[in-house]
Amino acid sequence: MSAARVVVTGLGAVSPLGLTAQDLWAGLSAGRCGFGRIRAFDPTGFPCELAGEVPAYRIQDRVPRSFRKAVKLMCRDIELAVMAAGEALASSGLITKGIDPEKVNVDPTRMAINVGAGIICCELPELAPATAVSTTDGRFDLRKWGQDGLDLVTPLWLLKYLPNMLACHIGIIHDIQGPSNTLTCGEAAGPLAIGEAAQVIARGDADIAVAGAAEAKVNQLVLVRQHLLQRAVSTRDADPDKICRPFDAGACGSIFSEGAGMVVLESLEHARARQARILAEVTGVGASHSMCPGYARLEPDGRSIQVAAEQALDDAEIRPEDLDLVIPHGTAVPEDDRAEARGLAAALGSAAEKVPVWPTKSMIGTTGAASGALDAVAAVRAIVEGVIPPAKNFDQPADGCRLNVVRQRHPGPIRHALCCSYTFGGQTAALVFQAFEEGPAR
Amino acid sequence: MKTPKTRERVVVTGLGIVCPLDHDVESYWASLLAGRSGINRTTIFDASTFPTTFDAEVKNYDLQRHLRRPELHAGANRSSRFAVGAAVQACRQAGLEVETSTPADGVDRRRMGVYLGAGEGPVEHDTFFACILASWEPQQQTMAWAKSTPVAFARMTAAYELEQEPNMAAAHVALLTGARGPSRSCLTACAASTQAVGEASMLIRRGQADIMIAGGAHSMIHPLGVTGFSRLTALSRRNDSPTTASRPFCGSRDGFILGEGAAILVLESLTSARRRGVPVLAEIIGYGSSSDAFRVTDMHEEGRGPVQAMRAALADAGLTYRDIDYINTHGTSTQENDAIETLAIKTVFQERAKQVPASSIKGMLGHLIGAAGAAELVACVLAIRDNIVPPTINLHDPDPKLDLDYVPNVPRRMPVNVVMKESFGFGGQNNVVILKKCEV
């Protein structure tokens, strides 16, 4: 059966560290934390008032002129996705309708899109006037909502919050007419989307794919949910630079953030034909499911991480000792870190104590669906730059963590990088990126 | 990525359904052939003042009956509960053991995965609106957030919130079956579960799994869901006659009827099905996906995306439009979908367009949104099995512009070897799957 080699030719990222992939890499390299007191809403009353918000932007300036009216249909998740996808495509050298309609150099029917998205929480102020007219004795009254409130909801309200609208807006802007999917697999959605997009190209259904994920978690009700699930830092007056500590003995929960990570994937043949700059190759895709009856946590032995990582290594036809970098999910929720460390150690076997492990959430926090996608961007950059920056906030390994979390800048070269992600619910994903080398198809 | 050694044939070995018509596959099929409607007044919440007061609900469903260990799914939301019930049925038919950590069915759980088109759980609307009311300052038109934060902490619960996540239906099915392989949920609006079945088939075809529990689960029958569709003017408002309101391709159609449910297909490599000696119900031979890339609000006027998806599926199957015996349409009963879908079929099927039976079962079933495609794929498998095509009901007043053979009102007995299933979603999502009678 045919199989194309799939390469990465473009990167885009929007994160608490900045509005570009370069900002993300520069921030991670400098050990900068992107956390501060929440600005999106007044967080008074939350056990911890910190979050990772992206710097200010004007979405109208970041879409083609012809699309400026459509931004009113974009919730924040969509905006972040559109920005990251725009950067990824522009950096690849491909010219889509959204980049320059006069100079398009792609066949839109051969382009795919695959985006991971979270559950989008609607903006409460939008529904407030409708809610306010739907009360009896100060309490919400559903019959009044049906009669009077409903008509005050803006007609296209639902379209702003359907998870597939991230991919749809990107697809409309850049005229992407091929296969389109939206994966809603919690915090594992990003790498699952990238993996599926790579498979879409490998099986010949597209030459190019925009893949990644976006989510905006800095929202009152979404953050309440993370606190109720006991995943969020609940320390008052925490030092934002020191509080998020994946795999560290002092880990006490995660900081929640917003962001988007996107890659442009291309068949090697297509990239070569246009003499594109190839950043890395996707060589391994693995996936599994964690069997945790409570659903909120990873199973204690981290077995799904082990299965997914082993599959990805097998797909890439490499051994654990060939790995030069692992970016784990590492949320800094102690039980989850412990489980993931066990699963990874099992997959890496005797190489576990040697392979450098570099968690990123100490600096960017948990960005929901975007988590693994931002890590994929970071992994490709690490391969290109040939260096692993030091992990942030890792002083004393947590009990039972026998991974080699990098304390110092680790020089390359980096040939093989593994990214792992899992989510509440249990979906688990692993991807192997490899430094690009010319050679025959394997 | 490894190059697959062989192209595995993908077959269906199990079916399960929980939908407004019935909670098992054979009753569902009997209802479809009898032209029975599953549409009635809304009972899940008080919709009496809403513009639309009826829907297609799953009624009298008791998941506990299906399970030995119901505690694993006790907190599951409405659609996840449908998914678990449908998965139990499908696995039973396929000879796969559920609810055991030591299955003796000879299937390596690392080679078995889950792929569902599934939606989020219902918002607990009383709490949601109470939070809004606690912080809304009508004079300033702003939110005093600090006032509602304590309300949210007091009224929201961890378990309910977790079960709201759209990946939870797949999570429940994975724990039910012990599936350790690839696990994904997608939510491409109304095309989601056809996409899930298509993508799951690709995983088997290319050797990434031997078995996939695939399908969909969704319920948007809650005040905010109905509000959203109602504001889009997508729902029928024929409140005086719920059972005749869903009338795909009819001249007087005025919108779809919101439904809910779950449908599961056990997909398996032919190699695995033969090895296990399980009966094969049909083969999945083609899949095509496309996007309109046109507008978030409307379909492309010429059906560009649907045409591309249909052609991609035909090419994937190695067939032409001449080989299709029956089209199971998306047929929602909205003005726009039914007109553009008809146009797209004419473009692809050319001189054969009016000869190929093309029916919609949404007249009976309503629109199960994310679960619609999977429920309709179950009907396609049964059409192949029994050589009979389910009808488009409530089609008494044809639209002069819509002149295909929609199999009006009564089922049709005919040889059914190759079926095309199409699903189209908001935002321009198009997915098409082609099934075939399996000649082993």
Side-chain angles (χ1 to χ4, degrees), chain A residues 364-413:
Chain A
I364 53 183
T366 298
T367 49
S371 301
L374 285 166
D375 285 345
V377 171
V380 172
R381 274 305 286 262
I383 288 171
V384 170
E385 305 293 332
V387 64
I388 308 170
K392 177 89 175 168
N393 295 335
F394 182 78
D395 298 326
Q396 276 295 319
D399 232 10
C401 170
R402 57 181 195 92
L403 300 174
N404 175 30
V405 179
V406 288
R407 291 163 197 261
Q408 273 143 24
R409 189 176 131 87
H410 191 94

Side-chain angles (χ1 to χ4, degrees), chain A residues 143 153 196 225 288-289, chain B residues 49 115 161 180 183-184 231:
Chain A
R143 292 175 68 99
V153 177
E196 186 171 286
R225 178 179 292 184
S288 183
H289 201 103
Chain B
T49 58
Y115 206 135
E161 292 301 313
R180 272 285 183 195
S183 171
R184 294 179 203 163
R231 293 302 289 148

Side-chain angles (χ1 to χ4, degrees), chain A residues 1 143 145-146 153 164 176 178 180-182 184 196 220 225 283 288-289 291 295 299 314-315 424 427, chain B residues 1-3 46 49 72 115 148-149 161 165 167 171-172 179-180 183-185 187 195 227 231 291 426:
Chain A
M1 242 184 132
R143 292 175 68 99
W145 173 269
V153 177
N164 64 314
I176 299 171
S180 164
N181 201 359
T182 293
T184 41
E196 186 171 286
Q220 184 197 30
R225 178 179 292 184
T283 54
S288 183
H289 201 103
M291 298 289 153
Y295 300 98
E299 58 204 327
D314 178 63
D315 196 28
F424 48 79
Q427 284 87 354
Chain B
M1 292 177 283
K2 276 187 185 166
T3 305
D46 181 354
T49 58
L72 260 186
Y115 206 135
S148 55
T149 295
E161 292 301 313
E165 295 281 349
N167 63 325
H172 280 279
R180 272 285 183 195
S183 171
R184 294 179 203 163
S185 312
L187 191 41
Q195 182 141 27
T227 295
R231 293 302 289 148
S291 31
F426 279 111

Side-chain angles (χ1 to χ4, degrees), chain B residues 120-139:
Chain B
E120 68 297 328
V123 173
E124 215 280 274
H125 68 269
D126 261 340
T127 298
F128 180 81
F129 288 117
C131 287
I132 294 178
L133 288 172
S135 43
W136 180 240
E137 310 256 329
Q139 267 82 44

Side-chain angles (χ1 to χ4, degrees), chain A residues 1-4 6 40-42 44-47 73 97 109 113 118-119 121-122 124-125 127-129 131-132 135 138-140 142-147 150-159 162-165 167-169 171-172 175-186 192 195-196 198-200 202-203 205 217 220-221 224-229 282-285 287-296 299 303-304 307 310-311 314-317 423-427 442, chain B residues 1-8 45-51 69 72-73 110 115 118 120-121 125-126 128-133 135-136 138 141 143-150 152-153 155-159 161-168 170-172 174-189 195 198-199 202-203 205-206 208 220 223-232 237 287 289-297 304 308 316 425-429 431:
Chain A
M1 242 184 132
S2 69
V6 179
F41 64 93
D42 173 8
T44 305
F46 272 77
L73 287 176
K97 179 179 155 198
T109 65
I113 182 160
I119 186 169
C121 190
C122 58
L124 302 191
L127 293 177
T131 311
T135 61
R139 295 178 59 123
F140 178 74
L142 189 56
R143 292 175 68 99
K144 284 197 175 162
W145 173 269
Q147 208 162 328
L150 184 139
D151 287 336
L152 299 181
V153 177
T154 178
L156 301 179
W157 171 75
L158 183 67
L159 294 182
L162 292 177
N164 64 314
M165 287 298 158
C168 291
H169 279 276
I172 294 167
D175 197 20
I176 299 171
Q177 296 180 27
S180 164
N181 201 359
T182 293
L183 296 184
T184 41
C185 307
L192 287 169
E196 186 171 286
Q199 289 166 346
V200 166
R203 69 184 191 228
D205 288 346
K217 281 277 191 203
Q220 184 197 30
L221 298 185
V224 169
R225 178 179 292 184
Q226 302 307 328
H227 280 282
L228 292 171
L229 291 168
V282 182
T283 54
V285 178
S288 183
H289 201 103
S290 160
M291 298 289 153
C292 188
Y295 300 98
E299 58 204 327
R303 178 128 171 87
S304 64
V307 172
E310 285 174 356
Q311 272 183 15
D314 178 63
D315 196 28
E317 299 178 275
T423 182
F424 48 79
Q427 284 87 354
R442 293 170 315 137
Chain B
M1 292 177 283
K2 276 187 185 166
T3 305
K5 289 184 190 71
T6 52
R7 176 182 163 126
E8 292 287 344
F45 66 93
D46 181 354
S48 58
T49 58
F50 278 60
R69 292 178 58 199
L72 260 186
H73 313 288
R110 288 173 58 137
Y115 206 135
E120 68 297 328
H125 68 269
D126 261 340
F128 180 81
F129 288 117
C131 287
I132 294 178
L133 288 172
S135 43
W136 180 240
Q141 299 273 301
M143 301 292 278
W145 296 100
K147 291 186 185 165
S148 55
T149 295
F153 272 103
R155 294 186 59 159
M156 288 163 66
T157 64
E161 292 301 313
L162 177 65
E163 294 290 353
Q164 272 247 73
E165 295 281 349
N167 63 325
M168 287 305 291
H172 280 279
L175 260 76
L176 173 84
T177 57
R180 272 285 183 195
S183 171
R184 294 179 203 163
S185 312
C186 67
L187 191 41
T188 41
Q195 182 141 27
E199 288 294 337
M202 295 298 113
L203 289 172
R205 186 192 281 179
R206 295 180 68 83
Q208 281 139 0
M220 289 186 78
L224 283 171
V226 175
T227 295
F229 286 122
S230 191
R231 293 302 289 148
L232 286 170
R237 298 194 175 186
Y287 165 54
S289 170
S290 77
S291 31
D292 278 12
F294 179 59
R295 281 188 201 139
V296 296
T297 43
R304 179 176 73 188
Q308 185 177 333
D316 185 48
F426 279 111
Q429 311 274 174
N431 289 290

Side-chain angles (χ1 to χ4, degrees), chain A residues 20-55:
Chain A
T20 64
Q22 173 56 28
D23 289 344
L24 172 71
W25 179 251
L28 292 172
S29 301
R32 201 156 71 71
C33 291
F35 310 133
R37 188 170 193 269
I38 292 170
R39 289 172 281 131
F41 64 93
D42 173 8
T44 305
F46 272 77
C48 171
E49 299 178 2
L50 297 174
E53 293 175 86
V54 310

Side-chain angles (χ1 to χ4, degrees), chain B residues 316-348:
Chain B
D316 185 48
L319 301 178
T320 75
Y321 64 91
R322 293 184 194 89
D323 300 309
I324 301 294
D325 297 317
Y326 164 57
I327 304 168
N328 186 285
T329 64
H330 189 54
T332 57
S333 181
T334 62
Q335 283 292 332
E336 182 185 50
N337 176 84
D338 295 358
I340 291 175
E341 184 169 15
T342 296
L343 190 61
I345 290 171
K346 285 181 177 174
T347 304
V348 173

